[in-house]
Amino acid sequence: MRWPENNNEYQIIESDQLEKSSGRLNEAELRVYKEKLTYLSRNPRHPSLSTKPLHPSSKRKKQLAQQGVSQVYEFYINRKQWRCILYIYDEQKVVYVVGIMNHGEVIRHMK
């Protein structure tokens, strides 16, 4: 798994669920999320993002592949609790911001 080489070619789309999940953030965390989304749009390898690939289970990987998802990544909003999950659709040149989850929710989401 590798992050797309030229992110400028990729469109960033936020999911409908994102509004609901971002409502769980306090004001400071929401500000950090928005800042990091700006970093993502400009440079997905920005050190502040700490972007990491996620490794879904075989079953989940198959489901995601059927939906056209090429790769799954996360970046931390804060180290203690919140992560932002990203699906990469290489064929469509889309980075889809799935939602904001805590560590346990990420693990369940990847099963």
Side-chain angles (χ1 to χ4, degrees):
M1 266 200 226
R2 290 187 51 205
W3 188 264
E5 288 297 323
N6 186 353
N7 195 52
N8 296 335
E9 295 177 4
Y10 283 71
Q11 178 184 9
I12 296 176
I13 298 174
E14 295 179 289
S15 74
D16 294 336
Q17 292 177 301
L18 190 63
E19 187 173 332
K20 181 180 178 183
S21 63
S22 66
R24 300 162 61 186
L25 303 177
N26 66 37
E27 196 174 309
E29 292 165 337
L30 188 58
R31 188 172 44 254
V32 169
Y33 163 72
K34 290 179 179 180
E35 183 179 288
K36 289 192 173 196
L37 202 58
T38 300
Y39 292 152
L40 179 68
S41 68
R42 294 182 183 156
N43 176 11
R45 292 181 178 89
H46 193 286
S48 291
L49 286 172
S50 297
T51 307
K52 294 180 176 60
L54 290 176
H55 305 285
S57 68
S58 298
K59 178 182 173 184
R60 185 71 173 135
K61 190 174 190 176
K62 189 175 183 178
Q63 291 170 337
L64 292 170
Q66 289 172 344
Q67 297 170 22
V69 176
S70 309
Q71 303 173 66
V72 182
Y73 280 84
E74 72 176 351
F75 67 77
Y76 294 103
I77 295 170
N78 63 22
R79 288 278 178 197
K80 293 183 180 183
Q81 187 171 14
W82 302 113
R83 291 141 168 84
C84 182
I85 307 305
L86 310 168
Y87 288 170
I88 310 298
Y89 293 85
D90 285 326
E91 284 189 30
Q92 296 88 356
K93 303 285 188 206
V94 168
V95 175
Y96 188 70
V97 183
V98 177
I100 296 167
M101 302 176 192
N102 64 39
H103 182 69
E105 291 167 335
V106 171
I107 290 171
R108 285 189 298 279
H109 185 74
M110 291 292 102
K111 285 187 175 180

